[in-house]
Amino acid sequence: MSAQTVAVAPVRRRRGVNLEKWGWIFMRVSGVVLVVLIFGHLFVNLMVGEGIHALDFAFIAGKFATPFWQWWDVLMLWLALIHGANGMRTIVNDYVTHRTARKALVWALGLAAGLLIILGTLVVFTFDPCLGVTEDSVLWSECAALVGN
C-alpha cells in the first residue's frame, strides 16, 4: 500500500469586512448586554419600591422624565430589535433556498426592524404625560403644576 498525495488548491481569502463574523460577534455581545438591561429593567419595575403595585401611568411617566431611563429603555429596544432581526436573518439565510424570496424576506426584516426602532425611539423621547389632558380631567392639576401654569 502506498499513500496517495492529493494536491490541495490554495485557499483564497476574500478581501474586505467579514459581515458574518461581525454579526456573530454582535450576537454574543448584545446577548450579554441585553441580559443585564432586561434584568435591570425587571428589577427596577417589579422589585424596587412598592413593586408591581406601583406600576401605573404615573410610574412610567416618571421613568421617562429622566434621561437615564430613556436611554436605558432605548438601548434595550435597539439591541433587542437588532439582535432579533439578525437572528431571523440567519434563519432565513439557512432555510430559504430561493434567492429572490430570501432577498425579499431579509429586506422585509430590515425594514420592519428599522421602522420599529424609529417608532419606539420617538415614543420614548417624545413621551408627554400631559398630552390630551383637558381642564375637565383628573390629571389637570398635576399637568398644570408640571408646566407651571
Side-chain angles (χ1 to χ4, degrees), residues 3 13 21-22 26 37-38 42 49-50 53 57 64 68-69 71 74 89 103 118 120 127 129 131 136 138-139 143:
R13 284 195 77 175
K21 177 183 90 171
W22 287 107
F26 170 79
L37 289 172
I38 290 169
L42 290 173
E50 296 176 38
H53 303 293
F57 184 78
F64 281 169
F68 176 80
W69 289 114
W71 282 105
V74 162
R89 181 196 60 82
K103 202 175 239 187
I118 290 168
F127 180 76
L131 187 65
D136 312 356
V138 194
L139 297 173
C143 286

Side-chain angles (χ1 to χ4, degrees), residues 129-141:
C130 295
L131 187 65
V133 175
T134 61
E135 291 186 33
D136 312 356
S137 175
V138 194
L139 297 173
W140 179 254
S141 58

Side-chain angles (χ1 to χ4, degrees), residues 43-56:
F43 180 76
V44 167
N45 288 344
L46 302 177
M47 307 294 267
V48 175
E50 296 176 38
I52 196 166
H53 303 293
L55 282 180
D56 58 2

Side-chain angles (χ1 to χ4, degrees), residues 20 88-110:
E20 290 299 322
M88 289 300 296
R89 181 196 60 82
T90 302
I91 291 170
V92 166
N93 284 340
D94 285 348
Y95 292 107
V96 178
T97 55
H98 193 266
R99 184 176 178 195
T100 307
R102 183 173 50 244
K103 202 175 239 187
L105 288 171
V106 168
W107 268 95
L109 281 168

Side-chain angles (χ1 to χ4, degrees), residues 2 6 8 14 20 22 42 51 54 63 75 79 85 119 121 132 135:
S2 66
V6 178
V8 178
R14 275 186 14 199
E20 290 299 322
W22 287 107
L42 290 173
K63 271 186 70 176
L75 183 60
L79 284 178
L119 290 176
T121 303
E135 291 186 33

